Amino acid sequence: MEPATQKTLGDSSIAITVEFTGGLELLFSNQRKHILSIPTHDEGGQNVNMDYLIRYLCIDVMKGGRKDMFIVDNQVRPGILVLINDADWELEGEENYQLQPKDNILFVSTLHGG
């Protein structure tokens, strides 16, 4: 399966894996696993972090425009668990965690209709 995107800025990029489960994959081309090459620095020259990744996912990877099912008020929607290399992102600094090469980021929806 082809990676969702290979968009980079310049030669300075890092490769990470992003996965979606619990129905979130429907927002991302019905593809569970995405291998991404993202810039090492954001628009302001800072090292990229989870906040950058979330924006990147919404702009460059998400299909179908249902951003409200993934983020609310520019934060990951309540009910979506985020794991960074198999650890709860709350233990890693949440949006402030600086992304590293070969990171594995997993978004798990626990939201269920009823």
Side-chain angles (χ1 to χ4, degrees), residues 77-90:
R77 185 180 186 87
I80 296 176
L81 301 177
V82 183
L83 300 178
I84 300 171
N85 302 319
D86 296 324
D88 189 325
W89 81 323
E90 291 180 4

Side-chain angles (χ1 to χ4, degrees), residues 6 12 19 21 42 45 54 56 58 65 77-78 90-91 99 110:
Q6 288 295 320
S12 187
E19 296 182 71
T21 63
D42 65 14
I54 292 164
Y56 180 90
C58 290
R77 185 180 186 87
E90 291 180 4
L91 301 173
L99 296 169
T110 62

